[in-house]
Amino acid sequence: MSLQPANIKDREIKKEILEVIKKWDTIIIHRHERPDPDAIGSQCGLAEIIKNTFPMKQVFTAGSSTGDLSFLAEMNPPVKEDYENALVIVTDTANVKRIDDKNYALGKKWIKIDHHPLDDSYGESEWVNTEASSCSEMIADLWLTFPDELKMNTEAARLLYGGIVGDTNRFLYEATSSYTMQVAAELMKFSFSASALNNRMNVIKPPVAKLMGYVLENFSVSNEGVGHIIITQQTLNQLNIEDKDTNGIVSLPGSIEGVKSWGVFVQQTDRHYRCRLRSKGPIINEIAKQHDGGGHPLASGANARNEDEIDQILDEMKEISKNWTPPKQ
């Protein structure tokens, strides 16, 4: 039933992960801090598949509250004692320091499932597919590879579809492949409303709408096609929003003509800046790595101590963007 060409090595690690899951009675699934739809979708979608396939197993989902994404799923947190003889699976998390809920280290065995570039190896079993659009696509692919052994249900399909939509920005990003679309189509065969979920994920709060106006009014673009906006604590307070609310505007500058790459720099309460870097082609994750960050080639995060470091990041982005031209359509 797998829709993609056979990849022997990839299939072997998926088979290994499935066999490990079969052996453990208690499974605790973690994801990264500050969860996005893919983190929640892959974490809770996998939990739903395991519970549906192996109803006698105890399956927990660990991490902080899902907040505004609670319409996707709420956590089913374990207690410390649950880790004593548990398999820990971490989804959508490139490095150990970003794993939400530090009790993960108490587990007896680890599995890592991720689609980010391999910055930090961890876990006895590790499945990293940087060609996947999302970790949710990978979890769906695990099911599609072993449809006779894993049982999908409507809730898992809804979660995984939501995770794919979130990480592809509704199938607009470069990482969206023909396989991504095939996987989404398979998930849509289940009886959830894809349009209702898409609409719910597209809802923005009035303060965030004001922030969008502020960004469009104050966003600047260099001659090299590098755009940026700096959002200070003062601006956050004036607009009555928090850092987490700025997630909804990160992709917005990409629709401005002439923008090749861009950064959204949000000041934190300790005065440093959280940097969200995006690109239409120039590779930016190597820049992010030089500034306490990392991520995908075209979507990364970093940190800047002050506006001088922001200027340095922008200069580096200008250097890689000045000779890049978009591919012909």
Side-chain angles (χ1 to χ4, degrees), residues 45-79:
L46 177 60
E48 285 293 326
I49 291 173
I50 294 173
K51 288 188 293 184
N52 196 43
T53 306
F54 308 103
M56 299 305 292
K57 294 184 185 294
Q58 282 191 304
V59 184
F60 300 97
T61 48
S64 56
S65 169
T66 53
D68 290 342
L69 295 175
S70 60
F71 67 89
L72 282 174
E74 298 277 9
M75 294 296 97
N76 175 31
V79 297

Side-chain angles (χ1 to χ4, degrees), residues 195-315:
S195 60
L197 182 56
N198 283 324
N199 289 334
R200 182 64 182 84
M201 293 178 69
N202 204 34
V203 168
I204 57 173
K205 297 179 179 179
V208 178
K210 290 182 179 180
L211 176 61
M212 295 174 75
Y214 176 85
V215 169
L216 292 174
E217 185 175 353
N218 294 277
F219 191 76
S220 61
V221 184
S222 73
N223 293 332
E224 296 85 358
V226 175
H228 81 280
I229 181 74
I230 296 175
I231 303 172
T232 64
Q233 279 289 307
Q234 181 180 5
T235 301
L236 292 176
N237 292 332
Q238 288 174 343
L239 295 174
N240 193 30
I241 60 174
E242 301 176 24
D243 173 53
K244 63 182 179 65
D245 296 317
T246 63
N247 284 327
I249 57 91
V250 175
S251 62
L252 179 63
S255 61
I256 299 174
E257 185 177 7
V259 173
K260 298 177 181 179
S261 60
W262 67 97
V264 176
F265 303 93
V266 183
Q267 191 177 44
Q268 306 298 297
T269 54
D270 66 359
R271 316 310 289 178
H272 93 279
Y273 290 85
R274 184 181 180 192
C275 315
R276 297 182 179 93
L277 310 180
R278 299 293 185 268
S279 174
K280 294 179 180 177
I283 305 302
I284 55 172
N285 61 337
E286 292 302 321
I287 293 174
K289 289 178 185 178
Q290 301 304 313
H291 298 275
D292 188 30
H296 298 288
L298 305 184
S300 296
N303 292 279
R305 296 181 297 275
N306 47 45
E307 292 197 19
D308 287 341
E309 188 168 1
I310 290 177
D311 289 339
Q312 183 182 349
I313 291 171
L314 292 172
D315 286 342

Side-chain angles (χ1 to χ4, degrees), residues 23-217:
K23 293 176 182 178
W24 290 78
D25 294 326
T26 301
I27 299 173
I28 303 173
I29 308 175
H30 287 248
R31 38 78 179 160
H32 62 71
E33 300 171 326
R34 295 171 174 169
D36 56 11
D38 186 35
I40 297 170
S42 58
Q43 176 193 31
C44 298
L46 177 60
E48 285 293 326
I49 291 173
I50 294 173
K51 288 188 293 184
N52 196 43
T53 306
F54 308 103
M56 299 305 292
K57 294 184 185 294
Q58 282 191 304
V59 184
F60 300 97
T61 48
S64 56
S65 169
T66 53
D68 290 342
L69 295 175
S70 60
F71 67 89
L72 282 174
E74 298 277 9
M75 294 296 97
N76 175 31
V79 297
K80 207 167 186 178
E81 291 72 24
D82 291 320
Y83 287 87
E84 290 179 359
N85 192 31
L87 168 67
V88 170
I89 303 176
V90 183
T91 68
D92 196 39
T93 309
N95 48 59
V96 168
K97 69 180 181 179
R98 290 205 67 206
I99 301 175
D100 199 351
D101 189 334
K102 303 311 177 185
N103 284 329
Y104 66 83
L106 301 176
K108 296 299 181 183
K109 187 178 178 67
W110 288 26
I111 291 176
K112 174 185 180 180
I113 303 176
D114 188 36
H115 70 123
H116 297 90
L118 185 57
D119 291 336
D120 187 4
S121 290
Y122 61 85
E124 288 85 358
S125 297
E126 187 175 52
W127 177 27
V128 176
N129 181 2
T130 58
E131 295 182 3
S133 70
S134 55
C135 197
S136 293
E137 179 183 315
M138 293 176 67
I139 301 303
D141 176 54
L142 182 67
W143 159 63
L144 288 167
T145 303
F146 305 108
D148 296 330
E149 298 186 73
L150 291 173
K151 296 179 181 179
M152 180 66 69
N153 62 14
T154 297
E155 180 60 11
R158 184 185 73 89
L159 285 161
L160 295 174
Y161 179 85
I164 293 171
V165 167
D167 247 29
T168 61
N169 190 23
R170 295 161 186 80
F171 309 104
L172 292 176
Y173 288 159
E174 188 73 21
T176 305
S177 67
S178 60
Y179 184 61
T180 305
M181 304 303 286
Q182 289 176 298
V183 169
E186 290 296 319
L187 296 172
M188 289 175 69
K189 291 179 180 179
F190 290 81
S191 58
F192 68 94
S193 172
S195 60
L197 182 56
N198 283 324
N199 289 334
R200 182 64 182 84
M201 293 178 69
N202 204 34
V203 168
I204 57 173
K205 297 179 179 179
V208 178
K210 290 182 179 180
L211 176 61
M212 295 174 75
Y214 176 85
V215 169
L216 292 174
E217 185 175 353

Side-chain angles (χ1 to χ4, degrees), residues 2-11 14:
S2 181
L3 303 175
Q4 65 183 157
N7 182 320
I8 301 301
K9 184 178 179 180
D10 198 44
R11 185 181 177 88
K14 286 186 282 187

